[in-house]
Amino acid sequence: MGGGLNATIAYAAHKLAGQRDEDRIFNPMCGSGTLLIERALMGPYDAMVGVDISADAVACARQNLQAAKKQIEVAQVDALHTGLPPRSFDLIAADLPWGDDIGNHAGNAELYPAFLQEMHRLCSKGGRLLVITHEIKLFERVLPQTSWQARELTQVYSGGHHPKIYLLTR
């Protein structure tokens, strides 16, 4: 799928977030399902679900999950309006739109603050938010206006881009 996340980066991001067998994991804007698959391959977790607003993305994720022989729920749902109760997840892992293959820069300026607010609502106390983005200036401008604390970050190379991986805590 165009704009799909590199599996090595997805794996490294999950290593950064830490593996907890009891994690309830959410992958908003799951796209082709790379973050779901790489975490599932790492070992046990309590629950895992992915959502994407695009029917094509959901179909692609389901196909990739089937190929990986992983039974993970994926649904066509807007990540900003899931209807899920507060504190539903211990780890939220997201590869946000970078504004080129998927999304655009103007749309991301509205999306990122709303995303961080909704993920804060969905994340459990002591939970983590793992974010991968190439919209670094936007993300770092928006982050101080939230209740999230940045614990760690690293920068990687992906197809001509240099996205950062952020690990945020409540």
Side-chain angles (χ1 to χ4, degrees):
M1 180 169 185
L5 183 63
N6 174 296
T8 302
I9 293 172
Y11 176 81
H14 277 297
K15 290 299 273 187
L16 176 66
Q19 179 180 342
R20 298 178 187 166
D21 294 356
E22 68 277 2
D23 273 341
R24 297 165 297 155
I25 302 166
F26 182 49
N27 181 202
M29 302 176 217
C30 69
S32 61
T34 308
L35 280 166
L36 295 168
I37 293 166
E38 291 305 314
R39 176 56 186 87
L41 292 171
M42 290 174 69
Y45 50 87
D46 184 50
M48 188 168 0
V49 64
V51 301
D52 202 293
I53 200 167
S54 163
D56 290 341
V58 170
C60 182
R62 287 179 177 156
Q63 184 177 26
N64 289 337
L65 287 161
Q66 183 179 8
K69 297 182 170 86
K70 295 299 173 186
Q71 298 292 323
I72 299 168
E73 182 180 350
V74 180
Q76 185 179 356
V77 174
D78 182 345
L80 300 183
H81 305 284
T82 63
L84 293 167
R87 300 189 178 132
S88 293
F89 301 101
D90 306 303
L91 174 62
I92 300 171
D95 175 24
L96 293 177
W98 297 1
D100 48 13
D101 285 339
I102 299 172
N104 60 59
H105 300 297
N108 287 348
E110 293 180 24
L111 172 67
Y112 279 35
F115 170 82
L116 288 169
Q117 181 179 356
E118 179 61 5
M119 295 309 109
H120 192 269
R121 185 185 77 78
L122 290 175
C123 193
S124 66
K125 288 188 176 184
R128 293 110 57 223
L129 172 59
L130 176 69
V131 174
I132 303 167
T133 184
H134 184 62
E135 289 269 30
I136 296 166
K137 289 180 183 177
L138 169 62
F139 191 78
E140 290 182 355
R141 184 174 64 245
V142 170
L143 190 58
Q145 301 165 21
T146 71
S147 299
W148 290 106
Q149 301 298 314
R151 279 189 28 208
E152 299 178 35
L153 62 92
T154 190
Q155 196 159 17
V156 295
Y157 176 80
S158 178
H161 295 88
H162 293 89
K164 280 191 179 180
I165 302 171
Y166 296 85
L167 183 59
L168 312 176
T169 56
R170 285 181 52 100

